[in-house]
Structures are given as C-alpha cells and as structure tokens.
C-alpha cells in the first residue's frame, strides 16, 4: 500500500513539475513573440513622418561700399524672388527604446528632433551694380542666409510644424494601441502613456 501511495505521489509531482516547466516555456515563448511583434511594429514606423509646404519670399538686397572715405560710395542692389519647398520630418529609425519583457514595458527614451529642410529657388530681378562694387559669392551667400532666416520665421509661424507633430503622434499611437492590446505598457521618459492626448502633451 505504501509503495502504491509513494508511486502516486511521485507521479503527481512529476506531472506538476512537467506542467510548470511547460507553462514557463509557453510564457517565455509568448513574451518573445510579443517582443518581436513590438520591434517589428517599431521598424514599420521607422520612416520619415513628413509635413511639406511651399513658401514665397520677395527680398530686397542692398549693399553700399565707401571708397576713399565717404566722398565716393558704390551701390549695388537686387530684387530676389524666392520660391521654397519646405519639409519637416522625424526620422523614426533614430528613436531610442528599451524592452522590459519581465514587466511588459516598452520604454521610449528619446524621440529624434524634427529635421527641417528648405529647398529654395532664387530668381534675381532689377540687379543694379556699380563697377567698383560688383556682385560676388559673398553677396549670394548673404542673400541665402537672410532668406533662410526669414523663411524659418515663416515656418515657425505656420501650421507646418504642428502638422508634422500630429503625424508623429499618429505613428506613436499605433505603438500605444499595440502595447495596450498585448497587455504591455508604453512608457515615455519614465511616465506611463495612457492615451493619445497624453502623447501630445509629452511632445509640446
């Protein structure tokens, strides 16, 4: 009788140990699959989130050069019409993140800064120069710098940057939905993200 009881206990213990090992393996497999799925989704959104716009600028360039003191002054001027294509992008391939499988956390530690690209087309009108003060490379560089500075002010005053940010939030929302669906938590700068509106406040 004792042998039968001992055999039953050993058999039950073996079943429990086997089940425990099987459950651990299944749990680990699920975690690995979830981690791979999250990383795949991050790769899917690792593209430029772009907002594009067009700006026009009319710029008057003037320069005067004194020769032999104030007695002789050489002038030059130009009317410059600028048409510029502008794009604002987030390169999501540069996002920094960590996966904490044990606690089911996706921690985003850094989001790249927006990249602003200005592609201007310059057309010069009413160019007037003095023989003693001709146009040179320095003038064209100065015009380009001043025009770019003026365009940057227009970009900041426009909705272009906010549109790009909204596209970024839209991409990150996909990650938020995925993590929530799998029972994970999305964390940004050590703060759990619960909804899309919270994402917007983090990026402001």
């Amino acid at each position: 009788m004792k042998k039968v009881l001992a055999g039953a206990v050993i058999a039950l213990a073996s079943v429990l140990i086997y089940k425990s090992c099987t459950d651990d393996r299944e749990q680990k497999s699920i975690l690995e699959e979830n981690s791979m799925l999250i990383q795949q989704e991050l790769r899917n959104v690792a593209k430029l989130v772009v907002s594009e716009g067009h700006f026009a600028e009319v710029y008057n360039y003037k320069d005067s050069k004194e020769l032999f003191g104030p007695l002789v002054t050489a002038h030059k001027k130009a009317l410059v019409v600028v048409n510029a294509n502008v794009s604002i992008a987030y390169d999501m391939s540069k996002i920094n993140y960590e996966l904490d499988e044990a606690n089911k956390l996706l921690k985003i530690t850094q989001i790249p800064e927006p990249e602003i690209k200005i592609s201007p087309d310059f057309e010069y009108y009413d160019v007037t120069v003095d023989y003693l003060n001709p146009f040179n490379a320095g003038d064209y560089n100065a015009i380009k710098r001043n025009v770019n500075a003026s365009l940057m002010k227009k970009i900041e005053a426009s909705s272009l940057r906010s549109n790009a940010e909204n596209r970024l939030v839209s991409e990150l929302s996909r990650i938020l939905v995925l993590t929530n669906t799998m029972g994970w938590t999305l964390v940004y700068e050590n703060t759990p993200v619960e909804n899309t509106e919270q994402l917007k406040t983090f990026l402001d």
Side-chain angles (χ1 to χ4, degrees):
M1 184 67 180
K2 291 182 179 181
K3 291 182 179 181
V4 173
L5 183 58
V9 171
I10 293 172
L12 180 60
S14 299
V15 170
L16 292 175
I17 293 172
Y18 174 78
K19 187 176 186 303
S20 176
C21 293
T22 302
D23 290 344
D24 288 343
R25 284 197 298 270
E26 289 179 354
Q27 181 67 23
K28 185 177 180 180
S29 177
I30 291 172
L31 283 173
E32 289 177 351
E33 289 177 3
N34 287 346
S35 298
M36 291 176 62
L37 183 59
I38 290 173
Q39 292 183 65
Q40 180 61 44
E41 183 64 17
L42 285 167
R43 282 192 291 268
N44 288 340
V45 300
K47 60 184 178 182
L48 292 180
V49 182
V50 181
S51 182
E52 296 180 332
H54 180 82
F55 292 85
E57 177 88 6
V58 178
Y59 177 69
N60 282 297
Y61 178 75
K62 294 181 180 180
D63 179 76
S64 298
K65 181 178 180 181
E66 291 186 353
L67 303 172
F68 312 110
L71 299 176
V72 179
T73 304
H75 302 282
K76 57 185 169 185
K77 64 178 182 178
L79 179 67
V80 185
V81 177
V82 183
N83 288 287
N85 292 318
V86 178
S87 66
I88 301 181
Y90 293 88
D91 187 352
M92 298 296 284
S93 66
K94 296 179 181 178
I95 192 171
N96 292 336
Y97 67 91
E98 300 173 0
L99 284 176
D100 183 349
E101 295 183 357
N103 297 301
K104 295 185 177 180
L105 299 176
L106 168 58
K107 301 177 182 179
I108 295 179
T109 57
Q110 183 180 11
I111 294 174
E113 292 294 320
E115 301 172 359
I116 301 176
K117 181 180 180 181
I118 302 175
S119 302
D121 179 36
F122 296 87
E123 294 184 12
Y124 292 83
Y125 298 92
D126 191 24
V127 178
T128 303
V129 298
D130 193 293
Y131 176 76
L132 298 176
N133 190 16
F135 261 84
N136 54 43
D139 295 301
Y140 292 108
N141 289 334
I143 290 172
K144 184 177 180 180
R145 284 195 305 270
N146 293 339
V147 167
N148 282 344
S150 178
L151 288 173
M152 282 298 298
K153 291 181 180 179
K154 287 188 174 183
I155 293 169
E156 294 297 336
S158 73
S159 61
L160 198 60
R161 183 185 284 272
S162 62
N163 290 342
E165 189 173 286
N166 288 336
R167 288 285 304 277
L168 172 63
V169 171
S170 178
E171 296 296 328
L172 292 176
S173 294
R174 292 169 53 182
I175 306 299
L176 176 61
V177 170
L178 178 63
T179 52
N180 286 345
T181 301
M182 298 190 309
W184 284 53
T185 300
L186 177 64
V187 177
Y188 179 64
E189 292 187 343
N190 297 319
T191 302
V193 180
E194 298 178 356
N195 51 55
T196 302
E197 292 302 318
Q198 192 178 4
L199 278 174
K200 291 181 180 179
T201 61
F202 286 148
L203 298 175
D204 288 339

